[in-house]
Amino acid sequence: MSKERVNYKKMYYGFPIFFVSFYDEQGVPNITTISSSFSLMDMVCLGFGSKGYAINEIKKVKDFVINIPNRSFMKEIDFCGFNSGRDCNKFDAMNLTPIKSEVVNAPIIEECTIAIECTLTDIIEREYYRGITNILAKVKGRIVSSEALDEEGKLNYVEVDPVLYVGDSAKRVYRYTEKETIDEAKSFL
Ligand SMILES: Cc1cc2nc3c(=O)[nH]c(=O)nc-3n(C[C@H](O)[C@H](O)[C@H](O)COP(=O)(O)O)c2cc1C
C-alpha cells in the first residue's frame, strides 16, 4: 500500500457528533456541539477548546448530559457548533426542549434519541497542550427512546444513527452511516 506523510494540524478520523447540555451558573439551560470523546464503562472523556462558554460553565456546575442526535438534527448541530452560549440560548434558538434529568442537575434534550447523564470528576489542562481542556466524567445514568430499544430493552442498533465528523485542518465534513450495514462483534473469528 503506497502511503504519504501528511502535515495536517488536526485530523478527524470519524468521531460521533453530539450535544452537551447543561444549566449555567444562573440555572439557564444551554447546549454546545462536540465530537472529541471516548467512553469506557462508566467513564467518559471529552475534549474542549478552553475558551468555550459550555466548558467554562461545566467546570463550575459539574453536571451535564451527552445527547446523541441523528441526521435529522443537522441544522441544530451546525448552529450549536458555530455559535456561543455567551451570545444566545441555543435551546430557544433551535426550539429544543430542556427536560431536567432525575439523576444529575442538567437538562436532557427531549428531541434526541440517547441521553447520558454525567458528573465531572477531573479537569486536565496542561501547558504543553495549551488551549485544550479535557475532562473526565462519571456516567450516572443513561436514557434511550423507546424506538431505539427492542422488546427486551436492549439497544436496537439499526435505530442508532450517529453522524460522524471526518476531515483534516483544511476541511471537515459530516459523514453518515447506513442502516442495515451491521455485523456482530466477534462474527469474523
Ligand atoms: C461538528 C462539530 C464538532 C465540534 N467538536 C468540538 C469539540 O470536540 N470540542 C470543542 O471544544 N468544540 C467543538 N466544536 C466547536 C464548538 O461547538 C464551538 O466552538 C461552539 O461555538 C462553542 O460554543 P460555546 O461557546 O457555547 O461552548 C465542534 C463544532 C462542530 C460543528
Side-chain angles (χ1 to χ4, degrees), residues 53-147:
Y53 180 71
I55 183 56
N56 284 289
E57 292 301 304
I58 288 167
K59 278 164 73 172
K60 294 182 271 191
V61 301
K62 313 283 187 216
D63 286 356
F64 63 90
V65 176
I66 289 171
N67 307 266
I68 314 293
N70 57 36
R71 68 182 80 186
S72 68
F73 288 89
M74 298 319 298
K75 187 181 70 173
E76 291 82 356
I77 287 172
D78 255 352
F79 186 88
C80 297
F82 290 99
N83 289 283
S84 178
R86 279 193 192 90
D87 310 318
C88 65
N89 179 328
K90 302 183 207 177
F91 269 102
D92 288 349
M94 289 289 96
N95 217 5
L96 293 166
T97 315
I99 305 284
K100 167 128 181 33
S101 157
E102 288 169 8
V103 300
V104 294
N105 184 31
I108 290 169
I109 303 177
E110 164 73 4
E111 290 80 4
C112 288
T113 313
I114 296 177
I116 302 171
E117 300 147 302
C118 303
T119 299
L120 185 152
T121 56
D122 298 78
I123 300 168
I124 304 155
E125 293 173 331
R126 297 282 180 267
E127 198 51 44
Y128 45 86
Y129 294 125
R130 197 193 288 243
I132 298 174
T133 299
N134 286 305
I135 60 167
L136 305 184
K138 188 158 186 72
V139 174
K140 298 279 187 67
R142 298 181 177 95
I143 296 177
V144 180
S145 76
S146 312
E147 304 89 73

